[in-house]
Amino acid sequence: MSNYDSHKIYEIGFIGAGNMAQAIGLAFVKKGICKAENILVSAPSENNKKPWRDVGVAVTSDNNAVFCCSKIVILATKPQYFQKVVSGLFTKTIGLPLNILISIMAGITLSTLHEMFDLDPSSLFKVMPNTPSLIGQGFSVIAHMDNADSKKIFENLPTVKYLMGAVGGVEVIPESLMNAAGAVSGSGPAYAFLIIEALADGAVKQGIPRDLAVRLAASAIAGGSLMVLETGKHTGQLKDMVTSAGGSTIAALHALERGGVRSAMMDAIEAATNRWEKMGEKK
Ligand SMILES: NC(=O)c1ccc[n+]([C@@H]2O[C@H](COP(=O)([O-])OP(=O)(O)OC[C@H]3O[C@@H](n4cnc5c(N)ncnc54)[C@H](OP(=O)(O)O)[C@@H]3O)[C@@H](O)[C@H]2O)c1
């Protein structure tokens, strides 16, 4: 059931109301970036609308209501629905309030967006957030079209950075690096989960109860990550700080190197980058 005002211009509209849209949109409300009453969200079913309604965001099942009544539109459906969603939109944008279109859909290129939407290249942004955005600890990489007018990009880009900053860190990168960034940042949380699980398994084998083993492993990874981000020190220097001569840590590091961990990680990034590239070609 819709509760939007068809005569109103909304500040931000989401097409797609699921996990990532909620992480971003509800953070806008929570952090005072945009009032709930100035956000409009569309999705075909009621599956994901309650959390939006609960905070006072307007909802509809009409994607065109969002597209035609919002100044900033964020496309947040699954990539496989992209063609279906776009083919149902009035993609002629003359006279619409729309001035920034952000796609968070993995694998949809800026040139595809440009082909589909009658918008100035400086209005189009591709953003790749990651799952920790769900807890406000994400990281989003942002790309814009190479041929966009730099003066107009200068006007629009700060808005996009400000919005995505609601769920974590942001960095602007060329679109050509988006797949590699996806391989490390988008897929990265899965690697962290696997590493934590494996470390915890090792601790369980040494007799530590599972619950404590998982907390110890996750805290070590989180703490190590924060030390990298907050001290700005080289990872090698930080590693050396915990590696005493003839000690247990160097013995463990030797075992990891023997197991090819470093090379396996690099292979993982290569495999994921190639896969992201293939997914982009299919669209
Ligand atoms: N989750 C992540 O960590 C992550 C990270 C980076 C990028 N992304 C990107 O974020 C996008 C959304 O992912 P998600 O995890 O949030 O997916 P999700 O939870 O499955 O949400 C998808 C949303 O799209 C809606 N939808 C489906 N068909 C639609 C249509 N025809 N018109 C309008 N809305 C439609 C769904 O509607 P219903 O509510 O009715 O089911 C749902 O609200 C994806 O493109 C993904 O690549 C996700």
Side-chain angles (χ1 to χ4, degrees), residues 192-227:
F193 301 142
L194 180 141
I195 291 166
I196 291 165
E197 193 177 62
L199 292 175
D201 280 346
V204 168
K205 190 174 179 204
Q206 299 306 319
I208 295 183
R210 170 67 60 183
D211 172 57
L212 177 58
V214 170
R215 282 187 290 128
L216 289 174
S219 301
I221 298 295
S225 301
L226 282 177
M227 284 180 78

Side-chain angles (χ1 to χ4, degrees), residues 38-169:
N38 293 328
I39 301 177
L40 176 59
V41 176
S42 66
S45 78
E46 287 298 305
N47 291 346
N48 287 292
K49 288 184 181 145
K50 187 173 183 305
W52 298 96
R53 276 206 184 89
D54 286 350
V55 297
V57 167
V59 295
T60 175
S61 52
D62 180 2
N63 294 337
N64 271 307
V66 171
F67 194 70
C68 298
C69 300
S70 309
K71 294 185 192 169
I72 298 171
V73 170
I74 302 180
L75 296 173
T77 66
K78 290 282 190 200
Q80 57 267 37
Y81 299 123
F82 174 70
Q83 294 292 347
K84 186 180 166 200
V85 168
V86 175
S87 63
L89 292 175
F90 307 127
T91 47
K92 290 287 165 219
T93 54
I94 294 173
L96 296 184
L98 179 64
N99 55 33
I100 293 180
L101 180 73
I102 298 170
S103 164
I104 65 163
M105 291 182 288
I108 305 294
T109 63
L110 284 164
S111 61
T112 301
L113 290 176
H114 193 227
E115 273 166 33
M116 301 288 204
F117 294 96
D118 176 28
L119 278 168
D120 187 276
S122 62
S123 304
L124 298 171
F125 293 89
K126 176 172 167 167
V127 172
M128 189 188 303
N130 62 3
T131 0
S133 301
L134 301 172
I135 54 162
Q137 297 289 327
F139 198 96
S140 301
V141 283
I142 302 169
H144 57 75
M145 292 198 79
D146 291 339
N147 63 345
D149 180 292
S150 53
K151 198 166 153 254
K152 289 188 189 161
I153 285 289
F154 190 72
E155 284 164 15
N156 289 341
L157 191 54
T159 305
V160 180
K161 288 169 76 173
Y162 175 62
L163 292 177
M164 294 315 300
V167 288

Side-chain angles (χ1 to χ4, degrees), residues 18-46:
N19 291 318
M20 198 42 74
Q22 281 177 36
I24 300 167
L26 300 181
F28 292 164
V29 177
K30 196 171 163 196
K31 299 196 168 173
I33 288 171
C34 186
K35 286 188 178 157
E37 70 236 38
N38 293 328
I39 301 177
L40 176 59
V41 176
S42 66
S45 78
E46 287 298 305

